[in-house]
Amino acid sequence: MDSQHPSTPVGGSYDLGFARLAVFCDGDTVIASGFQSLDEIAAGRPYTEGDLPETVTQALAAWQDGQWEPLMTVPVRYAGTPKLAQLRRAMRTVPAGQVVTYSDLAASAGLPGLSRLAGRACSENPCLLFVPCHRIVAAGNVGPQVIAGSYAGSETVKALLLEHEGVAVRTRQRDKASGF
């Protein structure tokens, strides 16, 4: 289909064991995914519910089995401004089992000093798991055990994703007096 006659995406879900991932595809390209329902992610846009492409389900199954790379070979549509797309491409180069800071991500994308924009690229990431923003953490959360921090799919899901990839995660300790 051309840009004047876009195809209707196919939406389906995949059970990761600890969470259900909703995925939208245009052909073999992932255009959106997240840990909400298909309708919530579609937000009123039309889609056809159906089977996900075999390349997508095979890559997700491989990820579940500890084979990280197939997921990063699934084509994704990089939404957003050119700089946001640049940052999201850089996210796909962060190896499973590792985390980097927002500042590190910005630098690796060729955008040094734009750590806040890197945070925005993560917080507005439309292709969760396929663009692994869960591997990006705040500088203060790095250590022998990382603090997962915020995530569009919930802090708990982010921690589970990181742990599945072999990252030691600890929970954030809040100050009881202040609530922070």
Side-chain angles (χ1 to χ4, degrees), residues 13 19 28 39 46 48 51 58 77 86 101 125 142 148 159 172 179:
S13 60
D28 286 339
D39 286 341
T48 302
D51 293 331
Q58 286 177 349
R77 183 174 302 152
Q86 189 173 338
T101 67
N125 178 8
V142 176
R172 182 189 323 252

Side-chain angles (χ1 to χ4, degrees), residues 30-134:
V30 172
I31 59 172
S33 59
F35 295 99
Q36 300 166 296
S37 73
L38 290 170
D39 286 341
E40 288 173 309
I41 295 171
R45 294 177 296 243
Y47 70 92
T48 302
E49 191 166 350
D51 293 331
L52 295 171
E54 190 174 331
T55 55
V56 171
T57 57
Q58 286 177 349
L60 287 166
W63 182 85
Q64 281 184 288
D65 290 339
Q67 300 169 34
W68 319 119
E69 284 310 307
L71 201 62
M72 296 302 100
T73 64
V74 172
V76 297
R77 183 174 302 152
Y78 295 101
T81 66
K83 286 183 180 175
L84 289 173
Q86 189 173 338
L87 286 158
R88 291 183 181 128
R89 280 186 193 88
M91 281 181 223
R92 292 191 91 188
T93 68
V94 178
Q98 295 182 24
V99 295
V100 299
T101 67
Y102 297 108
S103 179
D104 292 338
L105 176 65
S108 73
L111 300 168
L114 295 181
S115 58
R116 286 182 184 232
L117 188 62
R120 181 176 166 205
C122 290
S123 70
E124 297 174 4
N125 178 8
C127 295
L128 299 183
L129 197 56
F130 296 93
V131 177
C133 60
H134 62 278

